[in-house]
Amino acid sequence: MEEKTRDDLLKLFQGRFNRAVRFYLETCTRCGVCVEACHVYVSMGQAKYISASRHELVRRLYKKYFKARGKLWPSLGEAKELNESSLTELYDAAYSCTGCRRCMAYCPFGIDTQMVMSIAKFILIGASMEPEILTMLADMSIEKGKSFELFKEGFLQGIRNLEAEVVKKWQTEAGAAAIPVGVQDADLLYVALAGAHSIVPAAAVFNAAKENWTLSFFEAVNFGAFMGDPTRTTLIMNRIVEEAKRLRVREVCICECGTAFRVMKQMAESLPFKVSSITEAHARYIRGGRVKLDRSKFTGLMTYHDPCQLARNGGVIDEPRYILGHLADNFVEMSPDPRMNWCCGGGGGLVALGEETLDFRMKSSRVKADQIRETGAATLVTACENCHTQLSNINDHYKLGVNVKFLSSMVADALVGD
Amino acid sequence: METLYYLVLIPMAYIAFAVFVLGTAARLVKIFREPAATVKLQIFPEKRPKWLWAVYDTFLFPTVLRHKPLLWAFLMLFHISFMLLIIGHLELIRGFAVFQIVPHEVFLGKGFIGLILSICLLYFLFRRFSSPVRELSVPEDYYLLVLLFLTVFFGSEMDWARRWYYYDTISVDNYREYLFSLLTLKPELPYEITSSGHSFMLVLHIFFANLFLIFFPFSQAMHSFLSLPMNKIRRG
């Protein structure tokens, strides 16, 4: 590797320093408490997948270039040079980590492997070694934000087609738009994913709850976060923030997308509106008697997969259980402690990479498949797009024979009219 | 030999202490001057008051208890003994009434603190020889444990000799004379300190302790200071 390239990459590394990163890079004692934390390690048994091994790769570069020890006595901490081989190792570590942060619940210090891996991902972007498809998708999202007038007509036409579907399935108030778009001073801005499944059922519930809502022009998913690129992450998020400010909404409600929710909830600084997940909104409607559900609609044993970004990393834990309490008599917990729930194995951009990662995703989620099988449930409910895709893949691969469903769709399907 | 004893017991001790204090301070300043992360890094469910739970996490290691109970037992024993050991050493400088709330003879713990620490350190060391912790370990992990073990072992031997075998040619007063002179910057080496049959133990103990202090600010031993703020981040 050329000197200049290395210096540039190290500058990227240094640019990511903050207090927490310093803590994480200085403190690991390699005690091994985190060994059983990572689903990839537990499923595949290779030591490189232990979370401490993952962040140690970044730490070795840190010791080499940002601590005097790296020059005086590099072998002490196995400080490592930044070169092609270390970049390959970083890729392996970063793109096999789903960012579920289960290891954070193991580490006695609370080292956040996801954050350290996002540094690895950032260095990989600098070296043009990141998965190109993620860059492309992220840049497309950013571009759409810049020139959304160009996309507007096509988008509105798509929505009009979906409206028919909403009306066909669920009655709406006469004269009211089934899917309102661009409503100034609406109470709630709903940010969906591209795809009818994310819009139609949500619209039905909002309308049933008589919510003064409007649909965002932008899709929620944040490919910048998958890439570990803070600039792209912020640009993508800001499209929605700007739209919410422009419409002067009081609440931004994120669809069933764990990453989008966490980015908006935990990464944005002081927003003039409340951020909620659609799961929280639905629980609120049920609690307030604004929607009623038919609990006879779904039968059979049900279980719920806590999406990592929503539960452990976002705090939405009680709400899905509250909703399921109104949907099913027959519910079984998947993990005795939601904080310890296994990741589905599809986060961190792995599902977005599609077929390319399928083999790895299936091998690394053996432990998840076992966990699902042990519940004996016939229906597996979740509230995250990524998890849903991954769990469906697991279902096929491991022949679990469960019915994988979105929680929001179930709420919509069980709506009882006035 | 006398020169060597002198070098270890006085100049090296001063250097080690200076590196420890200044090095630790400099590293902490460097770390804490970094801007705080803009992202909220907490994990859920949340419990309040957050700071109290962070203190709980820092001092009682609940995650270790949950996932590795045996390691937890050794870690608790180790850290508690280490704190008692610090108190024991303070009492080797001079008596403190506050520590005598529980009346005891100096050095605290009848020799057992050193024994517990030695056993814990051997446990920490040997568990690194077996997979998968072996794959995680780097040389400094071993050096640090070996260094601590040697420090504790030679220190304890003097204690054991006095307490269990009544070989007290170096008395508590001799230690106090030596350490107090170091502290008041009028270093002196009492005759008993350098000429007793156990002086070599003292010199080796101080030598390894000096190395440990010098290494401390640059090693993961810094977790002693960083664990609390890190746990606070996790608690939100």
Side-chain angles (χ1 to χ4, degrees), chain B residues 125-152:
Chain B
L125 186 62
F126 289 145
R127 72 185 283 279
R128 288 205 183 267
F129 293 147
S130 65
S131 198
V133 191
R134 188 178 62 190
E135 279 87 345
L136 297 176
S137 302
V138 299
E140 66 175 298
D141 303 332
Y142 298 102
Y143 292 155
L144 207 59
L145 288 171
V146 169
L147 199 54
L148 267 173
F149 177 76
L150 291 171
T151 311
V152 169

Side-chain angles (χ1 to χ4, degrees), chain A residues 189-320:
Chain A
L189 175 70
Y190 175 60
V191 193
L193 289 168
H197 68 285
S198 179
I199 300 173
V200 175
V205 180
F206 287 135
N207 293 335
K210 301 195 170 47
E211 182 66 82
N212 175 17
W213 73 289
T214 183
L215 178 70
S216 170
F217 277 110
F218 305 108
E219 70 280 8
V221 60
N222 197 317
F223 294 105
F226 291 151
M227 295 172 71
D229 182 343
T231 313
R232 284 188 172 93
T233 306
T234 310
L235 283 171
I236 295 172
M237 176 179 70
N238 278 352
R239 303 171 313 161
I240 299 160
V241 173
E242 291 310 317
E243 185 186 25
K245 285 180 180 166
R246 196 170 55 241
L247 295 175
R248 289 201 298 270
V249 296
R250 285 190 287 184
E251 178 177 356
V252 168
C253 178
I254 309 286
C255 65
E256 289 175 316
C257 172
T259 305
F261 174 67
R262 175 143 191 265
V263 167
M264 190 62 91
K265 179 97 180 170
Q266 313 280 52
M267 302 194 179
E269 287 174 273
S270 62
L271 298 169
F273 48 79
K274 175 179 150 187
V275 177
S276 62
S277 70
I278 189 167
T279 309
E280 290 171 295
H282 286 179
R284 192 171 71 211
Y285 298 150
I286 298 170
R287 209 168 268 140
R290 290 168 71 181
V291 297
K292 291 202 169 47
L293 304 180
D294 173 8
R295 62 188 309 132
S296 65
K297 189 89 185 174
F298 302 99
T299 50
L301 188 61
M302 252 178 238
T303 189
Y304 177 72
H305 164 78
D306 276 292
C308 302
Q309 304 307 338
L310 205 61
R312 180 166 42 244
N313 302 328
V316 182
I317 296 170
D318 299 335
E319 291 83 352

Side-chain angles (χ1 to χ4, degrees), chain A residues 93-110:
Chain A
Y95 283 99
S96 62
C97 171
T98 58
C100 73
R101 297 164 99 228
R102 190 171 185 266
C103 44
M104 228 176 146
Y106 278 68
C107 177
F109 310 114

Side-chain angles (χ1 to χ4, degrees), chain B residues 143-197:
Chain B
Y143 292 155
L144 207 59
L145 288 171
V146 169
L147 199 54
L148 267 173
F149 177 76
L150 291 171
T151 311
V152 169
F153 193 68
F154 282 109
S156 302
E157 277 190 326
M158 293 184 287
D159 201 24
W160 298 335
R162 266 190 330 109
R163 305 300 285 274
W164 299 349
Y165 299 100
Y166 310 105
Y167 188 91
D168 53 0
T169 52
I170 311 180
S171 68
V172 169
D173 286 333
N174 298 141
Y175 291 123
R176 284 190 174 165
E177 209 178 319
Y178 160 61
L179 286 173
F180 200 76
S181 78
L182 277 184
L183 198 70
T184 50
L185 304 178
K186 289 173 204 143
E188 250 179 73
L189 289 177
Y191 176 78
E192 293 83 354
I193 289 279
T194 53
S195 310
S196 134

